[in-house]
Amino acid sequence: LPALDVARLRQDFPILQRAVHGQPLVYLDNAATSQKPWSVIEAERHYYAHYNANIHRGVHQMSQEATEAYEAARDRVRDFIHASSREEIIFTRGTTESINLVASSFGQRLQAGDEILITEMEHHSNIVPWQLLCQRSGALLRVAPIDDAGQLCVEQFAKLLGPRTRLVALSHMSNALGSINPVKKLVNLAHQVGAVVLLDGAQAVAHLPVNVMDIDCDFYAFSGHKLYGPTGIGVLYARRAILDSMPPYQGGGDMIREVRFAGSSWNDLPYKFEAGTPNIAGGIGLGAALDYVGGVGLAAIAAHESELLRYATALAGEFPGLTQIGTAADKGAILSFTLAGIHPHDIGTILDSCGVAVRTGHHCAMPVMEHFGVPATVRASFALYNTRHEIDTLFQGLTKAREMFG
Ligand code: PMP
């Protein structure tokens, strides 16, 4: 696999030219949101400047152009995750809305005593919608534990599956720990008890090739903005047979076939689940992001990032007082840690003064923090445009933090 020409790729991201507090920006908060290449920024600008119109309705030229561009983006998403048909690709606002869609629509078939199985490493957006569904339906939430490396305990997971398990929802890759779950195996275990499986792919899609047919999951959710695309656009993939049997999520324009006061009927898939004017520019921008990622190559991106992670992990191992949180054998490009005697927030502030952007806090995964007995961690997360030099800058900043607070 040829190495990425990172110096050249960095030219594609205008924001990487800026300074923060007089220092060159070192952006290591990619798990929160990644930066956007010119091609994505241009795709949105071009839509607004040249063919801004509502979609799926007008006979006029611009409406047709906008519809074609938006629907072409759907085809690219289908391609990107290897879904069998475009009808299985629903555009949403992001991972959070995709999960809420499943909880409100699919969730209507859950009854008191049914069980939903999640894991201890989930993001709040893959916990709270299920808690709300449990409150509405009387279903019970079960939680599969993680071990002290931050890996799912697969045996415990298997034991928690049973005849009452209707739905299993888990992350493909953890945002707080970087752990990658053996999803194909887990899906297979869940299917053996007849449960339906939703995978939260918010982190995974930017770091590993995803093939939903091979994984055999029933739902797969992700956001555009962590994948070099715009905010406010995301995807829910769902198996066609399940979508056919699900009631609509929101009501409104575009999701109907006919509306009468006596009752309405629903549009074909995927439009049945897409009420109202969508984020047209965002969809077009997401299509451009997928073209960009496809052009660079996810396998090459993954290889570059795992090299960065190896390098950062080695430096972390030698750094006095540093404890890594999340040391899974199979791990994406996330380094989460604490430094003895220094609050993560103070570390974040010192790093910021060095131009280094990291995330500090609970990373919307409070149960993970509770498992490790810490209120917060510092999280450095890598993307295709990061370099070893930037990781050196991170550790110089940590040395400065230790000198000031340690
Ligand atoms: N799940 C995971 C694993 C995430 O990392 C995130 C974003 N931090 C989400 C869900 C929620 O994504 P969004 O805020 O884009 O809806």
Side-chain angles (χ1 to χ4, degrees):
L1 204 64
L4 294 187
D5 185 351
V6 175
R8 188 182 60 74
L9 293 173
R10 287 178 70 84
Q11 303 295 316
D12 297 336
F13 293 81
I15 213 166
L16 299 179
Q17 312 301 319
R18 73 162 280 179
V20 171
H21 303 303
Q23 310 291 325
L25 168 67
V26 173
Y27 188 76
L28 301 178
D29 195 15
N30 296 286
T33 198
S34 59
Q35 298 304 339
K36 322 305 174 198
W38 272 123
S39 60
V40 169
I41 298 167
E42 272 301 308
E44 287 213 17
R45 196 197 64 87
H46 188 73
Y47 161 70
Y48 282 125
H50 296 282
Y51 60 104
N52 172 52
N54 212 327
I55 55 170
H56 299 150
R57 353 197 142 175
V59 293
H60 65 79
Q61 175 70 20
M62 291 199 308
S63 175
Q64 289 182 22
E65 287 173 14
T67 302
E68 266 167 39
Y70 189 72
E71 292 303 329
R74 193 189 308 275
D75 289 327
R76 285 202 205 94
V77 172
R78 187 205 68 73
D79 224 42
F80 185 71
I81 59 169
H82 303 277
S84 65
S85 72
R86 67 191 321 281
E87 286 78 16
E88 298 175 318
I89 306 299
I90 297 160
F91 281 128
T92 64
R93 279 194 302 125
T95 309
T96 302
E97 188 178 38
S98 297
I99 296 172
N100 277 280
L101 189 164
V102 176
S104 1
S105 171
F106 179 85
Q108 287 175 36
R109 67 185 68 173
L110 268 72
Q111 294 172 353
D114 285 344
E115 295 177 6
I116 300 168
L117 177 60
I118 63 171
T119 84
E120 200 181 356
M121 72 172 79
E122 298 313 310
H123 186 280
H124 296 161
S125 68
N126 201 23
I127 302 174
V128 182
W130 310 122
Q131 290 177 323
L132 293 170
L133 173 57
C134 287
Q135 281 171 18
R136 289 197 297 274
S137 63
L140 302 167
L141 193 65
R142 299 267 184 252
V143 184
I146 56 175
D147 64 18
D148 290 340
Q151 302 173 118
L152 181 67
C153 303
V154 175
E155 258 177 51
Q156 303 282 338
F157 174 91
K159 278 194 192 132
L160 285 163
L161 289 167
R164 297 304 309 257
T165 314
R166 301 297 304 278
L167 187 91
V168 174
L170 77 150
S171 48
H172 192 171
M173 171 177 157
S174 154
N175 68 308
L177 300 162
S179 320
I180 295 170
N181 282 314
V183 287
K184 198 171 167 176
K185 178 175 175 181
L186 301 175
V187 167
N188 185 261
L189 287 169
H191 282 170
Q192 283 174 29
V193 299
V196 157
V197 184
L198 176 141
L199 295 181
D200 170 355
Q203 293 297 329
V205 280
H207 305 291
L208 29 133
V210 171
N211 183 323
V212 291
M213 284 203 283
D214 180 56
I215 297 169
D216 201 30
C217 57
D218 303 288
F219 297 106
Y220 197 95
F222 65 95
S223 305
H225 70 94
K226 295 178 199 276
L227 189 52
Y228 309 101
T231 54
I233 187 81
V235 170
L236 175 69
Y237 156 81
R239 208 190 280 283
R240 186 177 185 138
I242 296 182
L243 280 181
D244 275 332
S245 71
M246 277 164 53
Y249 165 52
Q250 294 178 326
D254 233 28
M255 55 74 72
I256 50 83
R257 184 186 308 285
E258 281 186 321
V259 174
R260 299 219 164 76
F261 288 120
S264 301
S265 57
W266 317 133
N267 201 344
D268 295 332
L269 293 174
Y271 311 110
K272 172 179 153 188
F273 292 99
E274 294 181 353
T277 301
N279 182 355
I280 302 167
I284 293 168
L286 176 58
L290 296 184
D291 281 349
Y292 185 83
V293 170
V296 179
L298 253 183
I301 294 171
H304 172 69
E305 290 172 346
S306 68
E307 176 49 35
L308 291 177
L309 182 66
R310 241 193 321 273
Y311 184 65
T313 304
L315 291 179
E318 291 164 4
F319 198 88
L322 187 151
T323 305
Q324 275 198 67
I325 307 289
T327 49
D330 195 4
K331 198 178 154 186
I334 284 176
L335 184 75
S336 213
F337 60 93
T338 57
L339 282 187
I342 319 177
H343 195 278
H345 187 82
D346 292 330
I347 299 168
T349 306
I350 300 292
L351 290 175
D352 180 53
S353 74
C354 305
V356 179
V358 294
R359 172 90 184 264
T360 62
H362 54 62
H363 317 294
C364 296
M366 282 187 172
V368 171
M369 301 298 114
E370 204 173 309
H371 179 99
F372 287 94
V374 295
T377 74
V378 181
R379 181 186 69 188
S381 50
F382 311 123
L384 67 89
Y385 40 67
N386 290 125
T387 64
R388 275 180 174 231
H389 178 69
E390 290 181 309
I391 293 171
D392 291 336
T393 309
L394 165 69
F395 279 90
Q396 282 155 18
L398 294 179
T399 301
K400 190 172 164 191
R402 201 184 52 205
E403 283 163 9
M404 290 180 72
F405 290 94

